[in-house]
Amino acid sequence: MCLAIPALVKSIEGQEAEADMGGISRRISLWLTPEVEVGDYVLIHTGYAISVLDQEEAEETLRLFEEIAEAMEQAR
Amino acid sequence: MKFSSEFRRSELAQGLISRIHRRSKTPARLMEFCGGHTVAILKHGIRQLLPPTIEMLSGPGCPVCVTANADLDKAMALARVPGVILATFGDMLKVPGSYSSLQESKAEGADVRIVYSTMDGLDIARQNPQRPVVFLGIGFETTAPTFAASVLQAEQEGIRNYYILSQHKLCPPVTRALLDSGEVKLQGIVCPGHVSAIIGSRSWEFIPRDYGIPCVVSGFEPLDILQCIDMLLTQIESGISTVEIAYRRGVCPEGNQTAQELMDQVFEPCAASWRGVGIVPQSGLRLRERYRRFDAELAFDFDPGPTKEHQGCICGEILRAVKTPRDCPLFADVCNPEHPIGPCMVSSEGSCAAYYLYEVQGSTFKVPGFPVDRLLD
Ligand code: SF4
């Protein structure tokens, strides 16, 4: 029930926005994330953006996974 | 970056799984608090990818499942009040209370409407100014701020026919109650991702501090969960317990402060009744004095009648992580998704439903791209 899905913010009008969720356009509320800007990826929970996703952190995490995968491959 | 498929890459999963196998030495019982994690773990067959030393237990993190029958009965009774439109998230429709479900109330003529968001609840109230609209407020800290926002928006717009039945629950207090009971011994906790997006990872600091148990906040993709388990193992093997985040793209230590402020403006903590756990102080949310006119419990005269438990159902013990669905004699027999006895079989995030869907029906065990045999060297 705490499901939240990443979506790309396309346009903002007041406290609402249009977001793209895997090709589907949805009206979302920005009441909980007034800092959102067009082009941000946000986590949507029951129609509300609850958090702005951090691209740098995501890339950093994936880099770490790549390092682990390489290290494990070498250790085989 | 799509923030989803990147975190399902099997070659990266292999690295994490190998490392987990290499590192895991002592037996470890980990509890995933959140029902969303239970579903993800079963769906992606993660339990089968882990070494036998690691046991994953499901916790109380399914808001639908933990709602006590007495509270469910209130929703059914409110739906029967003449003129009332009861708005609810779809998950609640089939959940059996003491005597019936909202689905049955709807079949008997109650105006029950399934919506996706409190924004839709406000829309219904705007479109039906002559009728009271009651939104069934079920959910944890992830959902409660959306209800707070809807109350503030209703006030701003002067919408006078919008009410909520607040049955929101808070995750840290119930986790403390579980740990205090001493019923289940845990070596690590997979902390909920989206609850933590709101309350921040620091809300879990009391667990390593007071109980010495490692905590890692996890996302919901397979790589997130594997990273979380790997980080928990690092803490367990090193003997140092702390709170870490395996979901840094979405969660920070402070959480979403706007959401916390809205929640705090509209709601105050109160005692709440959890299925299986009982009354936990300060673990629920009720409307503050200033917003009481939105409180459906005070606005309507209704009688839910005496409450009754589901015979033979062990949902309560499953929610306390002391039993698994397979321990229930009714599981997959009398009780199945077509004919659910308890809420854990109804909710899409209930442990019984998830076990049934992914283990009994066998739609997992073989996850494409997760070549288990190559990993076990
Ligand atoms: S299998 Fe059914 S009866 Fe048994 S605990 Fe789960 S929901 Fe309850």
Side-chain angles (χ1 to χ4, degrees):
Chain A
M1 199 168 156
C2 295
L3 187 73
I5 292 168
L8 174 64
V9 177
K10 295 292 224 186
S11 64
I12 297 177
E13 212 188 308
Q15 280 172 308
E16 290 190 358
E18 260 328 286
D20 180 277
M21 292 167 97
I24 301 158
S25 184
R26 271 215 118 104
R27 172 177 75 126
I28 61 162
S29 167
L30 302 182
W31 267 75
L32 309 178
T33 48
E35 71 276 21
V36 163
E37 291 174 10
V38 171
D40 282 345
Y41 268 92
V42 291
L43 278 174
I44 309 292
H45 169 69
T46 66
Y48 288 73
I50 58 163
S51 147
V52 181
L53 286 160
D54 188 326
Q55 176 129 7
E56 270 174 37
E57 288 285 6
E59 282 164 4
E60 180 69 37
T61 305
L62 290 168
R63 253 197 310 277
L64 176 74
F65 293 163
E66 270 158 22
E67 278 169 26
I68 294 172
E70 253 167 55
M72 287 301 126
E73 192 58 41
Q74 276 165 17
R76 289 180 94 79
Chain B
M1 175 75 62
K2 294 268 177 286
F3 293 99
S4 49
S5 51
E6 298 91 343
F7 293 86
R8 292 178 204 150
R9 281 167 55 194
S10 58
E11 72 280 15
L12 299 185
Q14 279 180 33
L16 285 163
I17 295 163
S18 310
R19 196 156 92 148
I20 290 169
H21 277 260
R22 224 165 259 265
R23 282 192 167 179
S24 179
K25 307 226 162 54
T26 39
R29 293 183 122 187
L30 312 180
M31 181 183 82
E32 79 272 2
F33 178 92
C34 172
H37 282 144
T38 302
V39 170
I41 287 166
L42 290 164
K43 180 173 167 190
H44 298 296
I46 287 177
R47 290 185 341 145
Q48 286 73 41
L49 300 173
L50 297 174
T53 35
I54 301 178
E55 187 185 355
M56 301 297 298
L57 294 170
S58 310
C62 161
V64 175
C65 307
V66 293
T67 304
N69 278 3
D71 285 335
L72 291 167
D73 296 344
K74 286 182 193 165
M76 261 63 94
L78 269 166
R80 286 193 299 267
V81 172
V84 162
I85 299 173
L86 191 104
T88 176
F89 296 130
D91 316 41
M92 292 306 295
L93 199 67
K94 289 189 186 164
V95 183
S98 299
Y99 305 96
S100 69
S101 65
L102 284 173
Q103 177 158 280
E104 283 158 354
S105 310
K106 191 172 158 75
E108 286 159 11
D111 194 345
V112 177
R113 303 196 193 175
I114 297 172
V115 291
Y116 167 71
S117 168
T118 55
M119 290 197 287
D120 305 331
L122 287 175
D123 281 344
I124 297 174
R126 288 188 198 101
Q127 287 152 12
N128 299 274
Q130 306 309 324
R131 294 179 62 191
V133 175
V134 177
F135 205 123
L136 181 49
I138 301 277
F140 293 148
E141 292 93 330
T142 323
T143 318
T146 75
F147 277 82
S150 75
V151 164
L152 293 173
Q153 194 166 355
E155 186 180 58
Q156 223 174 57
E157 289 182 36
I159 299 174
R160 300 204 59 88
N161 58 327
Y162 179 72
Y163 302 88
I164 65 174
L165 180 67
S166 178
Q167 297 182 343
H168 298 289
K169 291 185 174 56
L170 303 174
C171 300
V174 79
T175 310
R176 190 183 271 286
L178 281 191
L179 296 174
D180 281 343
S181 79
E183 235 182 351
V184 52
K185 296 271 175 280
L186 300 171
Q187 278 72 44
I189 297 181
V190 177
C191 294
H194 296 139
V195 163
S196 303
I198 302 288
I199 65 175
S201 62
R202 66 174 178 200
S203 301
W204 302 103
E205 279 166 5
F206 71 95
I207 299 182
R209 187 188 62 225
D210 299 349
Y211 303 92
I213 299 174
C215 286
V216 178
V217 174
S218 178
F220 296 84
E221 299 295 348
L223 292 186
D224 295 322
I225 295 169
L226 291 170
Q227 185 193 15
C228 171
I229 294 170
D230 182 53
M231 289 166 85
L232 283 171
L233 285 183
T234 308
Q235 288 193 42
I236 294 167
E237 299 297 340
S238 73
I240 299 166
S241 305
T242 178
V243 177
E244 294 180 293
I245 306 170
Y247 192 26
R248 300 192 76 96
R249 63 188 182 282
V251 175
C252 64
E254 300 76 36
N256 178 335
Q257 291 181 20
T258 306
Q260 290 169 27
E261 280 160 23
L262 292 185
M263 195 159 48
D264 185 54
Q265 183 182 341
V266 174
F267 294 112
E268 62 190 3
C270 63
S273 171
W274 296 66
R275 182 185 303 279
V277 185
I279 309 260
V280 181
Q282 305 284 91
S283 72
L285 290 175
R286 65 167 178 221
L287 287 158
R288 286 192 187 275
E289 187 76 47
R290 172 162 173 8
Y291 300 100
R292 290 275 160 83
R293 73 175 176 84
F294 293 98
D295 190 338
E297 264 197 275
L298 303 176
F300 302 95
D301 200 15
F302 62 100
D303 177 17
T307 152
K308 179 169 94 60
E309 288 310 314
H310 310 297
Q311 281 298 317
C313 173
I314 61 160
C315 274
E317 285 152 282
I318 293 172
L319 291 164
R320 294 204 305 275
V322 290
K323 288 201 172 159
T324 74
R326 293 206 179 274
D327 297 323
C328 176
L330 308 184
F331 176 73
D333 181 27
V334 187
C335 183
N336 57 64
E338 292 289 303
H339 300 282
I341 307 285
C344 300
M345 188 58 94
V346 184
S347 168
S348 55
E349 289 181 357
S351 296
C352 299
Y355 269 70
Y356 190 89
L357 187 60
Y358 298 114
E359 294 214 332
V360 175
Q361 297 196 328
S363 51
T364 183
F365 285 106
K366 297 175 290 298
V367 179
F370 280 60
V372 189
D373 46 338
R374 271 189 51 200
L375 296 163
L376 306 171
D377 42 14

